[in-house]
Amino acid sequence: MTEGVPPRVDADLVDETSPDRVDETCRASARAWNDFRLLPRRRRAALLRDIADALQDARHEIVPLAHAETALPVPRLDGEMDRTVQQARFFADVVEDGGYLEATIDHGGQGTPELRKMLLPVGPVAVFAGGNFPLAFSVFGGDTASAVAAGCTVVVKAHPDHPRTAAATLAAVRRGLRDLDPGVVAMVSGFAAGAELVRHPLIRGAGFTGSLGGGRALFDLASSRPTPIPFFAEMSSVNPVVVTELAASRRGASLGALLGQAIVGSVGQLCTKPGLVFLPRAAGGAVLVAGIRDAMTAAGPQRMLSGPIAARFAEGLDGWRGGVRFEVDGVLDADTAAPSLAAVSIADLRPSLTHEVFGPAAIIVWYDALDQVTDAIEALGGQLTVSLHFEPEDRTALTALVHTATRQAGRVLAAGVPTGVRVGWATTHGGPYPATTAAGTTSVGAAAIARWLRPVTWQDAPEWMLPDELRDEPEAPLPRRVDGHLSPRS
Amino acid sequence: MTEGVPPRVDADLVDETSPDRVDETCRASARAWNDFRLLPRRRRAALLRDIADALQDARHEIVPLAHAETALPVPRLDGEMDRTVQQARFFADVVEDGGYLEATIDHGGQGTPELRKMLLPVGPVAVFAGGNFPLAFSVFGGDTASAVAAGCTVVVKAHPDHPRTAAATLAAVRRGLRDLDPGVVAMVSGFAAGAELVRHPLIRGAGFTGSLGGGRALFDLASSRPTPIPFFAEMSSVNPVVVTELAASRRGASLGALLGQAIVGSVGQLCTKPGLVFLPRAAGGAVLVAGIRDAMTAAGPQRMLSGPIAARFAEGLDGWRGGVRFEVDGVLDADTAAPSLAAVSIADLRPSLTHEVFGPAAIIVWYDALDQVTDAIEALGGQLTVSLHFEPEDRTALTALVHTATRQAGRVLAAGVPTGVRVGWATTHGGPYPATTAAGTTSVGAAAIARWLRPVTWQDAPEWMLPDELRDEPEAPLPRRVDGHLSPRS
């Protein structure tokens, strides 16, 4: 498929970092961490804001590079840059708030020791940049920003599809670091370097956004080290959407347009793209499909992130053929993908149709009763999202499905589409395997910082030995639990 | 070593649960979880108190069984039963408080979705009972109590050394369950059954207390499943203790007695037993060693948990020989262990001396300067505890050592001995590998509940779809963060 496509990325730019250089980079990261871990919270918050400013200042350089390397439209990349900058500032707020530290004091007395606990950064960590978000999940995306917020130093494994974007972003981050050790955020490139990074004894954890195959292979490496480290991979999800008969009959046209746009937005290259759409075999369902079809057709063919990504998309569609009917059957040309929509009866929803196909494609699954949908979603693996579109009268009929949705997914939507992920205090971007390798975590939002922390308790320690956060009168107040009672700011 | 020792455990009692029966037990656990996960917080707290009462009522039956099966003294087991009962009640308080749920609301508006997040139980989990705590880390020990508190059902893998204690404890727990499904806490036995349990598709996580070899093997099984699950193993620690020259010279005799008792208490069969004691090569050091020696000699030979445990203890001591001088060289007889104390210069502290030897033994490490101690502790693997005994004047000299201690251990003591673990809000019983497989967690204290939870966010959901904890006016108030602001009770 990809023969004859001129490469967007100059191969000379994709340095394969040598094993020696990976080792040096990790050692430099560990040296930088020795001081960085002790930086007061207020200074770390200021650093995050400085980096946000530096990224903002460099956006006119970075966004065009990202556009050239990924073919993503400039408005989309502008939005992604806004998100990246805001995310860094948001983590500054999280750090200043301090609640994430879980500072806790149990006073002692009469033979009972005094305990003072808080979370500390785990050490230097690795971050694998995602291919589909050259800014927001890349060099200073959510993983790096949350790790730096936690007080960890980061070695980024750059994504091979956007090396110049990565280099320009790193340069901006380094300007934001000012007089801090540049080793606080470093970068390596190349497939082998990624494996070296995960195996390096000084690396204490890793974050990843990408495919199931890549994520699982690196998770296995991380878990089989002599000293295992946590590997937080966000990988694969088909993000089922369910529309009830009532919702389809009352809002079929508007829901169809909404869903169609969600399937083709960013050329379907989003981990939260709806991949399975459960529709009632009823009049409203047909209207809804027409709406999806129109929105997808209107989007037309678009260039994907790279030739190999387009080739994998074509393979994914080939895997669907036989047993499904194509409503919209896109023709693929080099690295350009046309929207594709298949349809199948729920009785024929075989497992091979329930794997993520990365690109502007989805499968309509026709159902007769919501029980069938509950069973089908129960049989899927873990999901980032499950979306439910219903009317107030559906409440009773939805009980089982809602329970299944909360068991299977990290986010349950009762309106809208899952493709937007709000960065907030209450965000969960995660879910049971294979959505992620760590169902207990989120890779977006305030709680993403928790992945890079570990608890330490000081027992009967004098004031001077304690971090500011655990002293009787901390200079920078924060939420604390003292003798079981939580105070928002003490 | 163990020939001719009459077995304490009737082999007929140690049923090897068949693979079919393990499967049935896991299925029953999953069925029980379907309802149990929805039990309101107040009812789960009441359940924990009912189980505590049932254990208390059965203590006169359970403690003698534990004594017969483990040879641990009755007063020690009485204390352990108190701890087990109090721990169940403590988790009832944690559940009622509700802060562990991290309930968080970000209101929406103007195109921004509303997010409401809290933690939900992961599902049925496995708990591997520890050998050295037949009550507090066994059928309803900290792992099971915290998992039930989280809303998970539990399948316990009983420890082979105390099957009758386990059966009696399970019976008491079941009485505490009253009309709830008995599948909420179930039990299997046997080595193969343990492996089946970790591999079972319905099991979503596991807790373990035991040896490095066993813990790592099961961690590897859990990580290599088609759907990996977290395996929280608490395994191996030598719990270094450091005494400064000033502390040794001023408090040598009393510190020696304290440390000696900590080494031999519970026949040294504690994961927090001090195994390496760093002493200054100065006058105070000699006084201190005399104190340790006297306390250890006074304890005399004691029966260990089992013949195999005693045999492994003897092997551990054999591994020390050559290059170390024995201050107290215990003679071993069948399943009885005599206290053993070796001494070595810090220059000769080879890696083979830094592994845990489970039993009443420790190594004195003579140092000349605290820098040497810092380097030595830096070179050890992760630890459950590091203990520092010093005087106020030592503050400056201790800076590097304190930093190293907080990097290497889950708990840093500035007084006392690490063998007691207070169950509280601020407890950390954990540490980097090989102390545990999950440095970000604790297996004791309020935060132990976090291992069994995963976040879910509801987006734009109607009130009826939300758990009570996320509604505008929850029936059972709890700490929540709303639009970034934490309220202790809302």
Side-chain angles (χ1 to χ4, degrees):
Chain A
M1 297 283 348
T2 61
E3 287 155 35
V5 183
R8 292 185 207 138
V9 172
D10 184 344
D12 292 344
L13 267 171
V14 189
D15 288 332
E16 287 273 337
T17 310
S18 70
D20 280 356
R21 184 79 191 120
V22 173
D23 179 54
E24 278 165 34
T25 306
C26 292
R27 286 173 191 279
S29 186
R31 277 195 304 275
W33 186 62
N34 278 336
D35 291 333
F36 187 62
R37 64 192 282 270
L38 301 174
L39 210 64
R41 237 160 68 236
R42 281 177 175 161
R43 285 210 48 205
R44 223 155 57 230
L47 165 65
L48 286 159
R49 293 191 180 110
D50 286 345
I51 292 175
D53 290 346
L55 290 169
Q56 182 70 357
D57 289 346
R59 66 184 298 150
H60 298 298
E61 174 199 2
I62 295 172
V63 167
L65 287 173
H67 174 62
E69 290 186 318
T70 65
L72 290 168
V74 168
R76 142 73 205 261
L77 289 166
D78 261 327
E80 190 180 334
M81 181 57 102
D82 289 343
R83 180 191 182 85
T84 307
V85 168
Q86 283 158 15
Q87 183 166 254
R89 291 186 179 138
F90 175 68
F91 278 114
D93 296 343
V94 171
V95 168
E96 269 181 352
D97 173 87
Y100 75 98
L101 292 169
E102 299 178 8
T104 309
I105 298 173
D106 291 335
H107 286 105
Q110 298 185 318
T112 305
E114 177 188 88
L115 305 179
R116 294 181 184 236
K117 184 196 94 161
M118 64 179 271
L119 304 186
L120 295 183
V122 294
V125 300
V127 167
F128 286 74
N132 56 342
F133 281 91
L135 310 173
F137 288 82
S138 190
V139 175
F140 209 79
D143 283 338
T144 305
S146 60
V148 168
C152 294
T153 54
V154 177
V155 181
V156 176
K157 153 66 173 65
H159 195 279
D161 285 350
H162 24 78
R164 295 171 69 199
T165 309
T169 307
L170 181 66
V173 170
R174 292 264 169 98
R175 287 193 292 276
L177 285 172
R178 297 171 186 241
D179 56 348
L180 288 175
D181 190 326
V184 168
V185 181
M187 194 163 84
V188 299
S189 300
F191 183 83
E196 294 285 334
L197 196 53
V198 168
R199 280 195 291 246
H200 199 284
L202 292 172
I203 295 295
R204 297 300 186 105
F208 171 95
T209 303
S211 70
L212 177 58
R216 180 63 196 251
L218 289 167
F219 170 83
D220 289 343
L221 265 189
S223 306
S224 60
R225 287 164 47 122
T227 296
I229 56 171
F231 191 83
F232 304 104
E234 188 263 276
M235 303 183 298
S236 178
S237 183
V238 291
N239 304 297
V241 174
V242 184
V243 183
T244 65
E245 189 170 338
L246 272 180
S249 71
R250 291 184 192 162
R251 299 182 277 137
S254 62
L255 277 175
L258 187 71
L259 286 168
Q261 285 154 14
I263 295 164
V264 297
S266 293
V267 205
Q269 300 165 128
L270 299 175
C271 46
T272 50
K273 180 208 70 178
L276 286 180
V277 182
F278 292 88
L279 296 183
R281 217 189 298 269
V287 173
L288 210 152
V289 166
I292 295 178
R293 194 192 295 127
D294 291 349
M296 291 179 73
T297 308
Q302 299 172 84
R303 286 176 73 200
M304 295 195 79
L305 290 164
S306 71
I309 293 276
R312 276 201 290 279
F313 176 58
E315 282 167 26
L317 292 183
D318 285 345
W320 287 358
R321 288 178 206 283
V324 306
R325 187 163 49 82
F326 273 80
E327 300 273 338
V328 180
D329 196 353
V331 178
L332 303 172
D333 172 28
D335 61 355
T336 296
S340 300
L341 184 67
V344 69
S345 169
I346 195 161
D348 299 327
L349 184 64
R350 55 182 196 271
S352 63
L353 297 175
T354 63
H355 303 308
E356 183 181 17
V357 170
F358 193 71
I363 299 179
I364 305 293
V365 185
W366 296 108
Y367 71 84
D368 304 292
L370 283 173
D371 287 355
Q372 295 173 305
V373 180
T374 302
D375 290 346
I377 292 182
E378 190 74 43
L380 296 173
Q383 300 293 325
L384 294 172
T385 69
V386 170
S387 304
L388 308 174
H389 293 280
F390 54 89
E391 295 293 305
E393 303 94 307
D394 291 320
R395 174 174 169 173
T396 307
L398 280 174
T399 306
L401 182 54
V402 167
H403 286 160
T404 292
T406 57
R407 276 209 289 249
Q408 294 292 84
R411 182 160 52 114
V412 177
L413 293 88
V417 285
T419 40
V421 180
R422 178 179 173 191
V423 178
W425 293 90
T427 308
T428 301
H429 189 60
Y433 190 92
T436 79
T437 52
T441 65
T442 175
S443 65
V444 178
I449 198 172
R451 297 171 298 166
W452 317 115
L453 297 162
R454 49 175 278 267
V456 172
T457 294
W458 285 258
Q459 182 166 323
D460 290 329
E463 186 94 347
W464 65 261
M465 194 182 278
L466 296 166
D468 178 59
E469 286 84 354
L470 292 179
R471 295 185 181 176
D472 283 342
E473 305 286 344
E475 282 176 32
L478 72 163
R480 302 203 295 189
R481 189 180 283 274
V482 179
D483 296 329
H485 300 288
L486 187 64
S487 327
R489 208 143 188 88
S490 67
Chain B
M1 297 280 353
T2 61
E3 288 155 34
V5 183
R8 292 186 206 137
V9 172
D10 184 343
D12 292 345
L13 267 172
V14 189
D15 288 331
E16 287 273 337
T17 310
S18 70
D20 281 356
R21 184 79 191 120
V22 172
D23 179 54
E24 278 165 34
T25 306
C26 292
R27 286 173 191 279
S29 186
R31 278 194 303 275
W33 186 62
N34 278 336
D35 290 332
F36 187 62
R37 64 192 282 271
L38 301 174
L39 210 64
R41 237 160 68 235
R42 281 177 174 161
R43 285 210 48 206
R44 223 155 57 229
L47 165 65
L48 286 159
R49 294 192 180 109
D50 286 346
I51 291 175
D53 290 345
L55 290 169
Q56 182 70 356
D57 289 346
R59 66 184 298 150
H60 298 299
E61 175 199 1
I62 295 171
V63 167
L65 287 172
H67 174 62
E69 291 186 317
T70 65
L72 290 168
V74 168
R76 142 74 205 262
L77 289 166
D78 260 327
E80 190 180 333
M81 181 56 102
D82 289 342
R83 180 191 183 84
T84 307
V85 168
Q86 283 158 15
Q87 183 166 254
R89 291 186 180 137
F90 175 68
F91 278 113
D93 296 343
V94 171
V95 168
E96 268 181 352
D97 173 87
Y100 75 98
L101 291 169
E102 299 178 9
T104 310
I105 298 173
D106 292 335
H107 286 106
Q110 299 184 319
T112 304
E114 176 188 89
L115 304 179
R116 294 182 184 237
K117 184 196 93 160
M118 64 179 271
L119 305 185
L120 295 183
V122 294
V125 300
V127 167
F128 286 74
N132 56 342
F133 281 91
L135 310 174
F137 288 82
S138 190
V139 175
F140 209 79
D143 283 339
T144 305
S146 60
V148 167
C152 294
T153 54
V154 177
V155 181
V156 176
K157 153 67 172 65
H159 195 279
D161 285 350
H162 25 78
R164 294 171 70 199
T165 309
T169 306
L170 181 66
V173 169
R174 292 263 169 100
R175 287 193 292 276
L177 285 172
R178 297 172 185 239
D179 56 348
L180 288 175
D181 190 325
V184 168
V185 181
M187 194 163 84
V188 299
S189 301
F191 183 83
E196 294 286 334
L197 196 54
V198 168
R199 279 195 293 245
H200 199 284
L202 292 172
I203 295 295
R204 297 299 186 105
F208 171 96
T209 304
S211 70
L212 177 57
R216 180 63 196 252
L218 289 167
F219 170 83
D220 288 344
L221 265 189
S223 306
S224 60
R225 287 165 46 124
T227 296
I229 57 171
F231 191 83
F232 304 105
E234 188 263 276
M235 303 183 298
S236 178
S237 183
V238 292
N239 304 297
V241 174
V242 184
V243 183
T244 66
E245 189 171 337
L246 273 179
S249 72
R250 291 185 192 163
R251 300 182 276 136
S254 62
L255 276 175
L258 187 70
L259 286 168
Q261 285 154 13
I263 294 164
V264 297
S266 293
V267 205
Q269 300 165 128
L270 299 175
C271 46
T272 49
K273 180 209 70 179
L276 286 180
V277 182
F278 292 87
L279 296 183
R281 217 189 300 268
V287 172
L288 210 153
V289 166
I292 295 178
R293 194 192 296 127
D294 290 349
M296 291 179 73
T297 309
Q302 299 173 82
R303 286 176 73 199
M304 295 195 79
L305 289 164
S306 71
I309 292 276
R312 276 202 290 279
F313 176 58
E315 283 168 26
L317 292 183
D318 285 345
W320 287 357
R321 287 178 206 283
V324 306
R325 187 164 50 82
F326 273 81
E327 300 273 339
V328 180
D329 196 354
V331 178
L332 303 173
D333 172 28
D335 60 355
T336 296
S340 300
L341 185 67
V344 69
S345 170
I346 196 161
D348 299 327
L349 184 64
R350 56 182 195 272
S352 63
L353 297 175
T354 64
H355 302 308
E356 183 181 17
V357 170
F358 194 71
I363 299 179
I364 305 294
V365 185
W366 296 109
Y367 72 84
D368 304 293
L370 283 173
D371 288 355
Q372 295 173 304
V373 179
T374 302
D375 291 346
I377 293 181
E378 190 74 43
L380 296 174
Q383 300 294 325
L384 293 172
T385 68
V386 170
S387 304
L388 308 174
H389 293 279
F390 54 88
E391 295 292 305
E393 303 94 307
D394 291 319
R395 174 174 170 173
T396 308
L398 280 174
T399 305
L401 182 54
V402 167
H403 286 161
T404 292
T406 57
R407 275 209 290 249
Q408 294 291 84
R411 182 161 52 115
V412 177
L413 293 88
V417 285
T419 40
V421 181
R422 178 179 173 191
V423 178
W425 294 90
T427 307
T428 301
H429 189 60
Y433 190 91
T436 79
T437 52
T441 65
T442 175
S443 65
V444 178
I449 198 172
R451 297 172 298 165
W452 317 115
L453 296 162
R454 48 175 279 267
V456 172
T457 294
W458 285 257
Q459 182 166 323
D460 291 329
E463 185 95 347
W464 65 261
M465 194 183 278
L466 296 166
D468 178 58
E469 286 84 355
L470 292 179
R471 296 185 180 176
D472 283 342
E473 305 286 344
E475 281 175 33
L478 72 163
R480 302 203 293 189
R481 188 180 284 273
V482 180
D483 296 329
H485 300 288
L486 187 64
S487 327
R489 208 144 188 86
S490 67

